[in-house]
Amino acid sequence: MTRKLFIKTYGCQMNAYDSARIADVMAPHGYSLVDDAAGADMVVLNTCHIREKAAEKVYSELGRLRRAKEEKAANGERMLIAVAGCVAQAEGEEMIVRAPLVDIVVGPQVYHRLPEMVAKLSRGEGRALDTEFPAMDKFDALPGTKTAPGPTAFLTVQEGCDKFCTFCVVPYTRGAEYSRSVAQIEAEARHVADLGVKELTLLGQNVNAYHGIGPDGEPWGLGRLIRRLAKIDEIARLRYTTSHPRDMSDELIDAHAHEPKLMPYLHLPVQSGSDRVLEAMNRGHTAEDYKRLVERIRRARPDIALSSDFIVGFPGETDEDFEATMALIRDVGYAQAFSFKYSPRPGTPAAVARKQIADNVKEDRLAGLQDLLRRQADTFAAACVGREMDVLFEHRGRYADQLVGRSPYLQPVHARAPERLLGRLARVRLVEAKSNSMAGELADMAVAL
Ligand code: SAH
Ligand code: SF4
Ligand code: F3S
């Protein structure tokens, strides 16, 4: 009997990876993915706790699911609702109490146990809660994926974080830093390469802190892992995210200089340009350290494009501190960036700091910062017009004979191209910068025919 499984994913790419693994775990038990919650036998909300808004979304979604669950019950059928991810981890028992609709609460380290939890529920054993941090048997327990992921795939190589930035919930929801072994990662990479994957993005909350055991029994850094994976012929492109400025090793910077499969794009969050704020955030580096690091990376790979995350309105942030962030942005120059208003998170040190910043001040600063970042992104996009780049076509476009893919700089590029180029790399001349994408033309007419 096939059952319908609907998964809704919030938050970061690691959650996207986990959602795909949850589908893999449930598949042998007859569950196949559908793209609508209505009528589903099981709904999984894979949640994010990073900012207040992200966490609130879960409760509004549960509100919407109530009706669907009741309709199903009216037909004498059951809709199981599971909450997974970082809200599940953070709230645990509290969620079971607060949301009677929820049947299962499962943390990010134990979702491989979902089939058991579902079986218990069907035996009428009541609602289930599991938010343990077992000694990483998750990856050993996960089955290899059976469904072809498409031309690109995520691969989690590292989980958790020991940095304890004072604003951040991740060390609490994802636990201590852990790296998978090189052998296990390589096996998964080869497996998805056999399924047609051409581009792999290596994931970790702190991916460049990677230190998994290599085939020689020694811990390997991310640079070395990247070089190893680059030897897989079918894999044409490698990326990794998210990196911490303190963990950019020489070996990793060197990989940017010498490994052509490693894409010239780096997400390197700095959060603030003020040393006072960076210290209060416990980031462990100054603005100057960061700028020097960027110089070293650019020396290794001059055409690298940078992206970052910024927080405005961290407790105690003055106009001067904010100006220092603006100055750092002007200095570095970003191709792309994410920026957020500081959101106090329960259980983190900054949430109880005395000098919280008023919301209207946060709004003003965010608007100014986003305006600057937008202009930098436009400048970067405009500078790409006229250049030829490799584009990996990932899906069909909005119009007939149009395909959409990504440039090395992660820009979405659409171009008129024959269907057979789907899942393949092609040379494309970028002809126009749109607001969030680039228009291109196949550079090699022979390929177009
Ligand atoms: N591991 C990554 C970040 C993971 S969270 C790193 O170290 O950079 C993704 C981004 O969310 C962070 O970079 C930060 O900019 C933002 N963020 C995290 N906690 C936040 C909070 N409490 N309020 C606002 N933004 C936050
Ligand atoms: Fe959070 Fe800091 Fe760890 Fe990134 S490095 S996940 S911001 S604690
Ligand atoms: Fe959110 Fe958890 Fe990722 S809090 S950003 S889903 S690690």
Side-chain angles (χ1 to χ4, degrees):
M1 192 175 88
T2 66
R3 297 190 174 93
K4 294 181 194 147
L5 169 64
F6 175 69
I7 306 181
K8 184 158 181 172
T9 310
Y10 304 82
C12 61
Q13 294 100 325
M14 312 211 34
N15 260 14
Y17 175 88
D18 289 341
S19 289
R21 300 291 77 75
I22 289 173
D24 290 341
V25 163
M26 295 311 294
H29 302 273
Y31 286 84
S32 57
L33 278 181
V34 293
D35 44 24
D36 190 4
D41 299 290
M42 181 170 179
V43 173
V44 178
L45 302 182
N46 196 9
T47 62
C48 173
H49 202 240
I50 201 82
R51 284 168 293 274
E52 192 178 1
K53 270 201 188 131
E56 274 169 2
K57 282 187 196 156
V58 183
Y59 286 98
S60 16
E61 184 63 33
L62 284 172
R64 283 190 290 273
L65 281 175
R66 181 181 312 273
R67 169 91 59 79
K69 184 162 175 149
E70 283 167 0
E71 270 171 22
K72 193 116 174 126
N75 291 335
E77 291 170 332
R78 188 169 190 191
M79 174 188 280
L80 284 181
I81 298 185
V83 177
C86 291
V87 176
Q89 189 64 42
E91 298 200 353
E93 187 73 46
E94 206 183 311
M95 177 149 241
I96 293 273
V97 176
R98 187 171 158 193
L101 198 70
V102 173
D103 301 290
I104 294 175
V105 173
V106 62
Q109 299 311 326
V110 285
Y111 58 74
H112 57 291
R113 298 180 187 159
L114 264 172
E116 274 169 61
M117 298 172 86
V118 170
K120 274 190 187 163
L121 272 168
S122 350
R123 292 198 297 269
E125 288 179 30
R127 297 154 80 201
L129 167 72
D130 191 345
T131 50
E132 260 192 84
F133 281 114
M136 264 316 170
D137 52 9
K138 177 176 81 183
F139 289 110
D140 297 326
L142 291 174
T145 191
K146 299 269 188 317
T147 33
T152 66
F154 292 136
L155 202 175
T156 294
V157 303
Q158 178 278 336
E159 288 209 352
C161 180
D162 295 339
K163 295 280 191 296
F164 290 94
C165 299
T166 55
F167 52 81
C168 183
V169 292
V170 170
Y172 312 97
T173 61
R174 294 277 174 161
E177 219 176 272
Y178 167 87
S179 297
R180 298 174 70 185
S181 72
V182 172
Q184 202 182 50
I185 293 164
E186 207 180 351
E188 187 170 328
R190 287 192 188 277
H191 177 67
V192 295
D194 287 343
L195 293 174
V197 167
K198 301 267 188 322
E199 175 180 306
L200 267 183
T201 302
L202 309 182
L203 299 180
Q205 268 88 21
N206 239 302
V207 73
N208 58 349
Y210 177 82
H211 59 273
I213 293 296
D216 54 2
E218 298 293 319
W220 282 28
L222 187 64
R224 204 160 169 201
L225 176 69
I226 285 170
R227 296 240 187 154
R228 177 84 169 202
L229 297 178
K231 295 206 171 86
I232 303 175
D233 286 339
E234 296 84 347
I235 300 295
R237 288 174 157 189
L238 287 161
R239 306 180 184 276
Y240 60 94
T241 201
T242 294
S243 295
H244 193 291
R246 255 158 71 192
D247 294 323
M248 283 306 292
S249 68
D250 290 343
E251 189 186 52
L252 182 54
I253 296 176
D254 198 60
H256 278 286
H258 300 292
E259 181 44 68
K261 289 186 179 179
L262 182 56
M263 290 295 101
Y265 181 90
L266 176 62
H267 183 59
L268 192 64
V270 65
Q271 316 297 354
S272 168
S274 153
D275 290 345
R276 235 173 43 83
V277 172
L278 286 169
E279 188 170 352
M281 287 176 164
N282 190 33
R283 290 289 291 181
H285 61 82
T286 63
E288 193 53 40
D289 293 337
Y290 182 85
K291 285 192 279 184
R292 273 204 303 267
L293 174 61
V294 165
E295 272 169 31
R296 279 170 54 218
I297 296 165
R298 283 188 167 142
R299 266 201 301 277
R301 182 78 205 225
D303 67 335
I304 202 159
L306 290 176
S307 138
S308 181
D309 293 339
F310 297 93
I311 295 178
V312 299
F314 184 81
E317 185 188 69
T318 62
D319 286 341
E320 247 179 8
D321 293 322
F322 175 66
E323 265 319 307
T325 303
M326 296 289 275
L328 178 131
I329 296 172
R330 282 186 210 102
D331 251 29
V332 172
Y334 290 97
Q336 217 272 110
F338 302 96
S339 45
F340 316 97
K341 291 192 283 181
Y342 168 70
S343 169
R345 307 307 294 125
T348 60
V352 292
R354 264 174 294 130
K355 287 192 192 148
Q356 298 292 330
I357 305 297
D359 196 58
N360 62 324
V361 176
K362 288 184 191 169
E363 284 286 351
D364 284 352
R365 288 181 186 164
L366 188 66
L369 183 120
Q370 289 188 336
D371 187 55
L372 174 59
L373 288 168
R374 178 80 249 170
R375 276 181 282 133
Q376 290 196 342
D378 290 346
T379 306
F380 178 77
C384 291
V385 173
R387 286 180 61 187
E388 266 184 29
M389 296 181 194
D390 286 339
V391 169
L392 175 59
F393 286 117
E394 293 174 33
H395 55 87
R396 287 180 196 88
R398 215 179 321 154
Y399 304 105
D401 358 315
Q402 194 188 48
L403 296 180
V404 184
R406 299 269 182 176
S407 75
Y409 302 118
L410 218 49
Q411 298 153 297
V413 178
H414 47 88
R416 283 191 59 180
E419 182 92 9
R420 67 186 160 76
L421 289 185
L422 207 54
R424 291 174 54 190
L425 281 160
R427 265 331 250 180
V428 172
R429 188 176 322 102
L430 303 187
V431 293
E432 195 191 339
K434 308 266 188 186
S435 54
N436 288 306
S437 65
M438 305 291 293
E441 287 168 357
L442 285 184
D444 183 353
M445 286 321 284
V447 177
L449 297 172

